[in-house]
Amino acid sequence: MHLQAWLALGADVRVYSHASAARLVAEVGGGTVVDSLEEALDGATIADVVTPTFTHADLVGSAAEAGCQVICEKPLARSVAQAHQMVAACEAAGVRLYPAHVVRFFPEYAAAHAHVAAGGVGTVAVQRFSRAGSRPERDWFADRALSGGIVADQMIHDLDIARWTAGDVTRVFAREVSTPDGEARRGVVSAQVVLTHAGGALSYVTGTWAAPGSEFRTKFEIAGTDGLVHHDSARHAALRIDGGSAGASRGLLPGGSFMESPYLTQLRELALACTGGPEPRVTARDGVEAVRLAEAAAMSLETGRAIDLEDVR
Amino acid sequence: MSTLRIGLVSFAHTHATSYARALLATPGVEVLATDPDHAERAGESGGPAMARELGLDYAEDLETLLAWRPDAVVICSENTRHRSYTERCAAAGAHVLCEKPLATSVADAEAMVAACEAAGVFLMVAFPVRFHPAFAALRDAVAAGDLGTVAAVSGTNNGKLPAGRAWFTDPALAGGGAMTDHTVHVADLMDALLDGVPPVGVYAQANRLLHPEAAVETGGLVSIEYANGVVATVDCSWSKPDDYPTWGGLTLHVVGSEGQADLDAFGDRVDGFTTGRGQTWLSYGEDLDALLVAELVDALRTGRRPQPDGAVGVRTTRVVEAAYASARSGQPVRLDP
């Protein structure tokens, strides 16, 4: 999705990957495969790191050293300490670092945030965010040591949005439950997090890797002193096509969006910022804070306690 | 069919109105009401005038009502008065249907169960959403394994700040705010879905950002762990704006190993818009209070013990009591299963 977006923005893209660069370039129909990281970074304006989380720190370091502005897939890092190192490396090299928290660029979240920021619900008091989809198949997603599990990988989107609309967080409590893996497939995983914000607002964030074939669905509600806003992706599709029982086999998707790809919106805004444009809607600090929330949630899962965020450094 | 005598005790809770209507519409049921504390609710509806409006016969006090020898009473008093009314009615031999929450402390809830047991009467708690046919279908689906193993549940019970009755925000009479008022409905549905598996851990946070003039919490999140490992979080906030088109609502999202389910207990409606009046909201769903009353009447006629019973009331009260302890300490609270 990033490659498509870069091509749509008219960028020259060099693609380096351990495994599937050639296939990606062939599928998307653009970009040039290169054989080494050095070749990819050499003279590039922007390095876009779209790799598994556990590789981010090294790659961002290399990109900064090479003098590239850096965009890095979320979560920025596996730990707050690592995220701080990445920020420091980019500062030392005099390059920018932007985390790709793409959900801030999804139009429903952007619209809700703009409304809330303009006082549309008054002071935010209680909000809920939910995200559910089929469990990812690629192995590293499922390996908590590599991806950080569902909280760090999937729920971090909504942890970031919760902080975006209700401000900094002071306390985090998390629960996670999974069902046993079967012979044919893995079990489902669901996590539930309660955030207490510095201003007193409360957030409930839940993420689920559901049974295979489950429709991807997001929901949110933000309630404040002067009103509320809510959204349910299952109820707000611009087009739904019912192909009957044969429809699925013909590739008919139940719903679709006709908005610009949020990945394109994101990379346009971040690329502009990388080349001297206005500050984007997401900063390196947002990326660090999202990792901090995920790390606090992981500590809460481990200890069964609520975690004061100032204890997560 | 013999005539049943049912006493309606107190109009403090506004549900008294819908129970009164349901009882009056039930064949073979005589209703006598009393609202002894109405003088304390200055400027609010109540007492003999409200009884007249509802078409109810009225007794001046509880003694007069109990002397009428009711088969059962429906107690709609302020929360902290549930215990004393239940104990007096049970001692007089009347079965009890008590408005939720059963009590504002586990000690009170357990005392009420004990009092009813000692008197040989049943104790039922007014959790009407349990009687929603959609919830019954969800419960059947879960029991049949259609969702696989239940893993996680998200529940909401949001409403407006209760209007027309000041006691809802008086800690001495209500016991608390939104967390007292709205956690127990979802806790009851969880109890029914999990067949009484007890909660073993509760974490809760509360705030007073909405309606800061209220003396109780108006926003809250309650996270519950059950003995079988299921986790649930309840948004119990009074977060519907004052001019929202309806009182509020209740939803459940259930995640199982083989599927997910969504319940919107007030989803049966037509939406629209009326010039000058805003959003139109035409509910056509079941009258849940009438279904609750029907369960009471059927239990009286057949001599069985109705559900949800006092034990459910105790379990749901334990969740709320633990939620307040957790909100105070900022840490989760363990409960003995």
Side-chain angles (χ1 to χ4, degrees):
Chain A
M1 278 180 274
H2 278 230
L3 180 56
Q4 276 170 341
W6 284 122
L7 295 172
L9 291 169
D12 280 331
V13 187
R14 295 191 293 245
V15 182
Y16 172 67
S17 171
H18 286 314
S20 48
R23 200 181 67 210
L24 178 69
V25 164
E27 273 174 17
V28 175
T32 310
V33 179
V34 295
D35 295 328
S36 71
L37 179 63
E38 293 69 32
E39 212 179 324
L41 297 175
D42 183 28
T45 313
I46 296 170
D48 184 8
V49 179
V50 202
T51 57
T53 313
F54 64 94
T55 65
H56 285 176
D58 287 347
L59 291 170
V60 167
S62 303
E65 266 177 47
C68 304
Q69 312 293 322
V70 185
I71 296 169
C72 181
E73 189 49 68
K74 62 82 219 167
L76 202 50
R78 274 290 291 115
S79 69
V80 176
Q82 206 175 44
H84 278 309
Q85 283 166 20
M86 291 160 66
V87 171
C90 289
E91 273 174 8
V95 300
R96 291 167 226 269
L97 171 63
Y98 293 121
H101 281 288
V102 71
V103 174
R104 290 195 183 205
F105 298 85
F106 274 67
E108 62 271 39
Y109 291 89
H113 174 263
H115 181 69
V116 170
V121 302
T123 303
V124 174
V126 182
Q127 43 179 11
R128 300 190 303 271
F129 298 91
S130 146
R131 181 169 301 269
S134 289
R135 186 156 185 184
E137 287 165 13
R138 271 167 303 162
D139 274 349
W140 72 267
F141 269 117
D143 187 335
R144 184 188 295 243
L146 297 181
S147 74
I150 192 168
V151 171
D153 191 75
Q154 186 244 39
M155 190 191 266
I156 198 168
H157 282 301
D158 294 305
L159 296 173
D160 174 58
I161 299 294
R163 194 182 143 265
W164 199 29
T165 51
D168 278 330
V169 172
T170 55
R171 188 181 292 160
V172 177
F173 180 77
R175 296 192 197 275
E176 183 178 315
V177 62
S178 50
T179 62
D181 294 344
E183 280 182 19
R185 64 171 180 85
R186 293 206 175 88
V188 307
V189 183
S190 195
Q192 303 186 338
V193 172
V194 174
L195 305 177
T196 307
H197 296 263
L202 302 174
S203 295
Y204 169 54
V205 182
T206 182
T208 298
W209 282 333
S214 299
E215 192 177 341
F216 180 70
R217 183 177 181 187
T218 59
K219 287 189 282 188
F220 63 76
E221 177 173 296
I222 304 166
T225 50
D226 292 332
L228 51 84
V229 286
H230 51 83
H231 185 267
D232 179 346
S233 64
R235 294 186 178 183
H236 293 260
L239 174 67
R240 298 189 79 85
I241 296 177
D242 184 350
S245 55
S249 63
R250 285 186 283 129
L252 288 183
L253 295 171
S257 170
F258 299 87
M259 305 294 294
E260 175 178 275
S261 158
Y263 296 91
L264 178 56
T265 315
Q266 169 184 247
L267 292 179
R268 182 191 296 114
E269 189 169 314
L270 297 183
L272 202 61
C274 283
T275 53
E279 272 299 293
R281 69 191 78 176
V282 64
T283 65
R285 175 168 182 255
D286 295 324
V288 175
E289 290 307 313
V291 172
R292 191 192 306 276
L293 292 174
E295 191 167 322
M299 286 166 67
S300 177
L301 290 176
E302 211 172 284
T303 61
R305 307 274 296 165
I307 303 297
D308 280 337
L309 213 61
E310 59 186 29
D311 295 337
V312 186
R313 294 167 202 281
Chain B
M1 189 168 71
S2 64
T3 300
L4 288 174
R5 291 183 163 188
I6 298 183
L8 188 50
V9 178
S10 178
F11 297 147
H13 200 294
T14 46
H15 287 168
T17 301
S18 54
Y19 302 147
R21 291 200 179 109
L23 287 166
L24 290 171
T26 307
V29 169
E30 287 178 1
V31 191
L32 180 63
T34 185
D35 187 21
D37 305 314
H38 73 92
E40 294 175 27
R41 303 193 310 269
E44 298 177 2
S45 60
M50 186 167 167
R52 264 195 309 279
E53 262 175 51
L54 291 167
L56 292 166
D57 292 335
Y58 190 78
E60 273 310 314
D61 50 35
L62 187 67
E63 288 68 32
T64 312
L65 184 137
L66 292 175
W68 177 64
R69 309 291 302 167
D71 296 285
V73 293
V74 180
I75 296 172
C76 292
S77 70
E78 300 86 346
N79 297 341
T80 55
R81 290 174 173 157
H82 286 174
R83 176 177 171 175
S84 64
Y85 278 125
T86 296
E87 287 172 343
R88 291 163 72 189
C89 293
H95 296 289
V96 175
L97 167 58
C98 183
E99 180 55 48
K100 63 82 205 168
L102 179 59
T104 56
S105 72
V106 175
D108 278 358
E110 287 175 343
M112 293 162 74
V113 169
C116 289
E117 262 171 28
V121 298
F122 66 65
L123 173 59
M124 179 181 175
V125 190
F127 290 125
V129 187
R130 188 187 268 244
F131 297 95
H132 197 304
F135 178 74
L138 172 63
R139 195 178 173 182
D140 290 347
V142 166
D146 292 348
L147 299 180
T149 307
V150 171
V153 178
S154 298
T156 71
N157 186 193
N158 298 138
K160 300 178 184 181
L161 184 85
R165 288 289 188 262
W167 70 264
F168 273 102
T169 55
D170 179 349
L173 292 171
M179 213 143 75
T180 296
D181 192 33
H182 275 178
T183 306
V184 288
H185 281 297
V186 177
D188 171 60
L189 299 181
M190 288 301 299
D191 197 278
L193 274 185
L194 302 181
D195 213 10
V197 170
V200 293
V202 174
Y203 175 75
Q205 292 281 275
N207 66 23
R208 285 174 55 187
L209 293 171
L210 304 158
H211 308 285
E213 72 285 358
V216 291
E217 79 285 352
T218 50
L221 296 172
V222 181
S223 164
I224 311 164
E225 180 188 2
Y226 290 88
N228 60 355
V230 170
V231 302
T233 302
V234 184
D235 179 353
C236 58
S237 308
W238 286 333
S239 53
K240 299 297 191 200
D242 290 339
D243 47 358
Y244 196 69
T246 187
W247 65 272
L250 184 147
T251 67
L252 273 191
H253 180 83
V254 183
V255 177
S257 59
E258 309 299 325
Q260 300 169 82
D262 274 284
L263 172 79
D264 179 355
F266 299 89
D268 295 319
R269 65 172 192 266
V270 175
D271 291 331
F273 194 88
T274 306
T275 299
R277 282 190 284 156
Q279 200 178 334
T280 303
W281 186 291
L282 309 174
S283 292
Y284 55 81
E286 294 278 356
D287 180 344
L288 302 180
D289 289 344
L291 295 174
L292 176 89
V293 165
E295 167 76 359
L296 168 70
V297 170
D298 187 65
L300 290 170
R301 290 214 179 283
T302 58
R304 66 183 173 81
R305 299 174 71 86
Q307 286 288 335
D309 63 7
V312 181
V314 171
R315 288 193 291 270
T316 52
T317 303
R318 294 182 83 201
V319 170
V320 176
E321 190 173 281
Y324 281 108
S326 173
R328 275 194 303 273
S329 72
Q331 288 296 337
V333 169
R334 300 304 298 176
L335 294 171
D336 296 327

